[in-house]
């Protein structure tokens, strides 16, 4: 095949077409205009560069449309190129993105966009979403706001800051009643709730899960609650490795209780062992920590409404853990010396 033909195919065939033909579907809630997430069972592929590029957030695989076919079908370049050629004219499903408002802020620098947003406050739409719908307690939200971690996003959404190890905002997770995404032009590193000097590193897949685990544990002393934002960029890996390499650090793998969570857990364990860091796995009894928190809060309300003798409203001045955040079915733990069970 001539180089001119290869370039023509690369321009005419989108990575999205390859993925849809292979049975992947768009995860519209976790996609942005610049990064469209596709799922097939436990597999994830992110399509970038207007359909011309892709990467696998659970591995180091990335490339163009030819590399994608080779990655999915385990074939060589020539056979992959033939399969790409067969896709010319294939119609793909495009998500209907809402156009950015004129003067909506996308031309501002990342720090300027962050600073332009207000902090959430009791009664604001973001506070109602986090406290009412997500059941995150007021004291924890105040702690996160005091730490400069949260902003009011559009349409009642929350912005949760990702920062590098120097504390510079690199982007933010955006979550709301109708939207999930990441800052346009931003970079996923880590959401961080807790003291920078903490040696217990609890790693989740979303900022809301990090805050939910913190609520369940009562903002445990000596713990830094982290979120990767569902990604595994080189910057995220480097930041986690730096934290895990400190003497006496312990990596707490607090990913979701599903196949994707297990894949993330395996990568975190490997990172901990490479860094010589002890690790343990905390698995929520529900699919994620926020679901567990919401069920716990619902049970507390039902118990209170049932007229339990001597029950009274707890003081709101501090967080208190109701139970250990441990998987009752089994607690994996390990370190550089191997895996052990309690």
């Amino acid at each position: 095949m001539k180089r001119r033909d290869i370039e023509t195919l690369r321009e005419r065939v989108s990575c999205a077409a390859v993925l849809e033909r292979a049975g992947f579907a768009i995860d519209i809630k976790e996609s942005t205009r610049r990064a469209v997430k596709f799922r097939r069972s436990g597999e994830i592929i992110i399509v970038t560069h207007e359909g011309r590029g892709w990467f696998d957030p659970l591995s180091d695989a990335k490339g163009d449309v030819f590399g994608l076919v080779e990655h999915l079908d385990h074939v060589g370049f020539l056979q992959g190129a033939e399969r790409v050629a067969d896709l010319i004219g294939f119609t793909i499903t495009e998500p209907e993105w809402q156009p950015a408002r004129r003067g909506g802020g996308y031309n501002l620098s990342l720090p300027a966009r962050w600073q332009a947003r207000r902090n959430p406050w009791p009664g604001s739409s973001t506070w109602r979403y986090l406290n009412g719908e997500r059941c995150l307690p007021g004291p924890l939200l105040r702690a996160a706001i005091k730490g400069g971690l949260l902003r009011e996003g559009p349409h009642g959404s929350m912005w949760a800051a990702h920062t590098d190890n120097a504390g510079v905002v690199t982007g933010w997770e955006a979550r709301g009643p109708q939207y999930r995404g990441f800052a346009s032009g931003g970079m996923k590193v880590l959401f961080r709730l807790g003291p920078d000097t903490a040696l217990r590193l609890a790693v989740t897949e979303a900022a809301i899960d990090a805050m939910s685990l913190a609520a369940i544990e009562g903002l445990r002393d000596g713990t830094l609650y982290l979120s990767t934002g569902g990604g595994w960029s080189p910057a995220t890996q480097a930041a986690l490795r730096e934290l895990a390499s400190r003497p006496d650090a312990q990596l707490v793998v607090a990913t979701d209780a599903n196949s994707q969570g297990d894949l993330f857990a395996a990568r975190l364990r490997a990172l901990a062992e490479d860094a010589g860091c002890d690790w343990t796995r905390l698995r929520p009894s529900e699919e994620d920590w926020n679901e567990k928190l919401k069920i716990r809060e619902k049970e507390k309300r039902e118990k209170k409404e049932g007229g339990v003798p001597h029950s009274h409203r707890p003081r709101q001045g501090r967080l208190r853990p109701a139970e250990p955040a441990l998987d009752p079915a089994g607690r994996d733990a390990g370190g550089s010396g191997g895996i052990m069970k309690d």
Side-chain angles (χ1 to χ4, degrees):
M1 183 176 291
K2 297 180 179 179
R3 179 177 295 275
R4 183 174 59 186
D5 295 333
I6 292 173
E7 294 301 326
T8 298
L9 287 176
R10 185 179 284 117
E11 288 297 319
R12 294 184 60 184
V13 180
S14 168
C15 293
V18 172
L19 292 169
E20 290 206 8
R21 175 62 64 86
F24 283 76
I26 295 176
D27 185 342
I28 188 66
K29 290 185 177 181
E30 296 208 3
S31 296
T32 66
R33 185 187 301 274
R34 297 185 180 182
V36 183
K37 178 178 283 189
F38 285 79
R39 293 182 183 271
R40 184 178 68 181
S41 186
E43 298 175 271
I44 299 174
I45 297 292
I46 309 295
V47 173
T48 58
H49 302 296
E50 299 181 346
R52 305 305 169 207
W54 64 277
F55 69 90
D56 179 352
L58 304 180
S59 74
D60 296 326
K62 60 183 178 179
D64 61 7
V65 66
F66 300 107
L68 179 58
V69 173
E70 295 177 50
H71 176 71
L72 295 176
D73 297 348
H74 306 289
V75 297
F77 177 80
L78 291 179
Q79 190 175 356
E82 292 175 359
R83 298 185 185 187
V84 171
D86 290 339
L87 288 171
I88 288 182
F90 181 73
T91 303
I92 66 169
T93 303
E94 292 284 357
E96 296 182 1
W97 302 108
Q98 295 294 325
R101 293 177 299 170
R102 181 173 296 178
Y106 284 153
N107 291 328
L108 297 176
S109 68
L110 201 73
R113 285 160 55 195
W114 175 259
Q115 293 299 332
R117 289 287 175 177
R118 299 177 65 182
N119 290 332
W121 68 94
S124 71
S125 55
T126 297
W127 184 284
R128 291 196 301 271
Y129 168 65
L130 293 174
N131 182 247
E133 185 171 332
R134 292 293 193 157
C135 296
L136 293 169
L140 182 138
L141 292 177
R142 291 185 181 92
I145 293 167
K146 184 178 180 180
L149 302 178
L150 300 179
R151 288 289 191 273
E152 289 268 332
H155 309 297
S157 66
M158 165 210 75
W159 285 7
H162 273 227
T163 58
D164 60 20
N165 285 339
V168 177
V169 175
T170 63
W172 49 85
E173 296 178 43
R175 296 291 187 273
Q178 305 295 330
Y179 178 74
R180 300 177 70 182
F182 197 79
S184 175
M187 178 176 63
K188 291 182 180 180
V189 183
L190 289 171
F191 169 83
R192 308 164 193 246
L193 173 63
D196 293 336
T197 56
L199 294 176
R200 182 173 181 263
L201 312 170
V203 185
T204 68
E205 298 174 54
I208 285 179
D209 283 322
M211 290 187 286
S212 298
L213 177 58
I216 292 169
E217 294 190 330
L219 278 173
R220 178 170 165 174
D221 290 341
T223 297
L224 181 60
Y225 296 92
L226 304 165
S227 163
T228 66
W232 189 267
S233 69
T236 296
Q237 185 173 356
L240 284 171
R241 184 179 296 277
E242 182 172 334
L243 291 170
S245 297
R246 294 178 298 174
D248 300 322
Q250 181 191 43
L251 193 67
V252 179
V253 181
T255 52
D256 295 350
N258 55 30
S259 58
Q260 180 176 320
D262 292 340
L263 288 172
F264 271 103
R267 299 204 70 169
L268 287 166
R269 289 174 178 177
L271 183 146
E273 291 172 355
D274 287 345
C277 171
D278 287 339
W279 59 264
T280 187
R281 175 80 188 269
L282 299 187
R283 190 190 309 269
S285 55
E286 305 302 320
E287 184 169 8
D288 60 45
W289 293 108
N290 189 242
E291 286 301 315
K292 179 177 177 63
L293 176 65
K294 288 191 289 187
I295 290 174
R296 190 189 78 166
E297 293 304 306
K298 180 181 178 182
E299 291 174 347
K300 287 169 61 177
R301 287 195 302 269
E302 291 175 348
K303 184 177 180 181
K304 181 179 178 181
E305 292 169 359
V308 178
H310 309 297
S311 64
H312 61 277
R313 185 181 182 89
R315 293 174 58 192
Q316 295 299 308
R318 59 181 299 181
L319 293 167
R320 293 183 295 175
E323 58 189 275
L326 292 174
D327 178 6
R331 295 180 279 276
D332 294 338
S336 57
I339 297 174
M340 61 184 178
K341 296 182 178 179
D342 288 348

